[in-house]
């Protein structure tokens, strides 16, 4: 095993291990915090895939933003510490159906993808300029739609704040 | 490729080690003479009045939502800025539209008073 392989398994172990804690922990605060390490592990995997910009974005937005939002959401719920989260089995049949469909879709993608192995890691400095060029030419429409979605989120956030003021 | 990330790993390792060593050094070297008064929770000399683990205001959530939205905007700005010379005028106009749409939301939030802390 070379160095890259060891690093890959390290990040994969971090991701899967903390993902398991997220799912199985009975303390919602522990779940939220171990999600931090899961996101971090995924960022590491992005680095190994030569997607440096994606890795930085993962850290900036998921670890820096969405996780903070999630922890705030946990803190906003009443009696955080005493609450017992049900990790028992409810709604087994619909869950089995959905998980089965998702697994089938993921496996189809996994098997139909042609996994090209690079002989040597290519000498790519950074992916940011290519992403910028594609984003503003080929993928212009999704890019502009993203701004509209962000606008909707802003308006929604303002609505929450206004409701607070009336109460 | 991976070699360029070695400084980051060193930084992470040094930070983790520093934090651990400082806490453990304090534990090993410091004298321990606890009393009820010393072990009580304190914050800036104030008497604790009630539990810290309670619900807090939705205003914090608002700040977090606004932060994420403009965080995402900034992330989009970076690859655009790096490829600015190749994109030319067209890239400038499209990014202008992108920012304009978000600016509408910004002024909406501002006028709704969501940026005020009261």
């Amino acid at each position: 095993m070379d160095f890259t392989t060891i690093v890959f398994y390290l990040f994969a172990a971090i991701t899967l291990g903390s993902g398991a804690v997220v799912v199985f922990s009975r303390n919602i605060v522990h779940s939220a915090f171990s999600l931090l390490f899961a996101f971090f592990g995924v960022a590491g995997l992005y680095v190994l895939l030569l997607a440096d910009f994606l890795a930085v974005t993962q850290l900036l937005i998921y670890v820096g933003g969405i996780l903070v939002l999630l922890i705030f959401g946990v803190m906003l719920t009443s009696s955080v510490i005493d609450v017992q989260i049900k990790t028992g089995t409810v709604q087994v049949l619909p869950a089995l159906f959905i998980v089965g469909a998702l697994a089938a879709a993921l496996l189809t993608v996994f098997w139909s993808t042609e996994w090209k192995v690079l002989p040597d890691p290519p000498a790519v400095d950074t992916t940011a300029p290519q992403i910028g060029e594609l984003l503003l030419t080929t993928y212009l429409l999704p890019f502009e739609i993203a701004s509209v979605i962000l606008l909707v989120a802003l308006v929604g956030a303002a609505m929450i704040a206004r409701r607070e003021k009336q109460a | 490729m991976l070699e360029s990330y070695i400084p980051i790993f060193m930084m992470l390792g040094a930070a983790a080690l520093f934090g651990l060593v400082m806490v453990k050094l304090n534990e090993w070297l410091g004298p321990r003479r606890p009393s009820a008064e010393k072990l009580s929770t304190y914050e800036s000399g104030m008497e604790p009045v009630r539990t810290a683990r309670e619900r807090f205001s939705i205003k914090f959530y608002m700040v977090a939502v606004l932060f994420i939205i403009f965080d995402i905007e900034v992330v989009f700005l970076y690859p655009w800025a790096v490829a600015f010379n190749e994109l030319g005028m067209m890239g400038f106009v499209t990014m202008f539209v992108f920012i304009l749409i978000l600016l509408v939301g910004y002024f909406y939030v501002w006028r709704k008073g969501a940026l005020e802390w009261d």
Side-chain angles (χ1 to χ4, degrees):
Chain A
M1 277 209 295
D2 61 339
F3 180 62
T4 313
T5 317
I6 294 168
V7 172
F8 169 78
Y9 280 112
L10 180 73
F11 279 122
I14 289 172
T15 310
L16 289 178
S18 18
V21 174
V22 173
V23 177
F24 292 117
S25 172
R26 288 194 167 266
N27 186 327
I28 195 169
V29 179
H30 292 177
S31 286
F33 273 96
S34 67
L35 200 57
L36 169 82
F37 297 100
F39 284 153
F40 176 76
V42 173
L45 293 178
Y46 284 151
V47 168
L48 288 176
L49 288 170
L50 303 171
D52 57 346
F53 182 73
L54 203 58
V56 172
T57 308
Q58 166 85 6
L59 285 181
L60 260 178
I61 292 179
Y62 278 86
V63 178
I66 288 177
L67 197 68
V68 170
L69 199 66
L70 227 136
I71 290 171
F72 276 176
V74 167
M75 300 298 198
L76 285 168
T77 51
S78 55
S79 56
V80 180
I81 300 305
D82 311 322
V83 73
Q84 281 290 317
I85 315 161
K86 279 213 176 79
T87 45
T89 43
V90 283
Q91 304 280 0
V92 180
L93 216 64
L96 268 179
F97 177 71
I98 293 169
V99 169
L102 185 67
L106 288 175
L107 283 174
T108 312
V109 172
F110 180 75
W111 277 316
S112 63
T113 304
E114 194 187 330
W115 298 98
K116 290 188 177 122
V117 178
L118 295 170
D120 290 310
V124 183
D125 271 348
T126 170
T127 53
Q130 290 96 310
I131 288 175
E133 250 186 279
L134 286 173
L135 208 58
L136 290 167
T137 50
T138 318
Y139 301 104
L140 183 60
L141 189 64
F143 174 65
E144 297 291 354
I145 287 172
S147 77
V148 177
I149 291 170
L150 289 175
L151 176 67
V152 171
L154 262 176
V155 173
M159 292 300 285
I160 294 173
R162 200 180 57 168
R163 197 179 301 158
E164 165 84 354
K165 202 166 272 180
Q166 282 168 351
Chain B
M1 205 295 294
L2 213 59
E3 287 76 42
S4 57
Y5 287 90
I6 286 174
I8 295 177
F9 277 108
M10 286 169 71
M11 175 72 204
L12 280 177
L17 203 72
F18 184 76
L20 202 74
V21 164
M22 282 299 143
V23 170
K24 285 290 158 193
L25 263 185
N26 190 25
E27 198 175 287
W28 288 329
L29 298 178
R32 279 162 157 269
R33 283 182 290 275
S35 66
E37 201 62 29
K38 280 186 190 169
L39 289 175
S40 68
T41 315
Y42 67 95
E43 163 63 35
S44 309
M46 309 270 264
E47 289 280 338
V49 281
R50 55 179 187 271
T51 175
R53 286 170 182 156
E54 59 178 24
R55 302 174 69 177
F56 59 78
S57 172
I58 196 157
K59 283 181 281 191
F60 293 99
Y61 195 74
M62 257 308 292
V63 173
V65 169
L66 291 177
F67 168 72
I68 287 185
I69 289 165
F70 292 108
D71 201 25
I72 294 169
E73 184 189 354
V74 169
V75 163
F76 275 125
L77 280 176
Y78 180 73
W80 167 74
V82 173
F84 185 74
N85 283 334
E86 290 81 55
L87 289 164
M89 199 60 201
M90 192 59 201
F92 181 76
V93 171
T94 46
M95 186 45 96
F96 189 78
V97 172
F98 179 82
I99 292 175
L100 205 68
I101 292 170
L102 277 172
L103 212 60
V104 171
Y106 177 66
F107 280 113
Y108 178 82
V109 168
W110 192 347
R111 288 296 302 273
K112 282 281 174 215
L115 300 179
E116 273 145 45
W117 192 272
D118 48 21

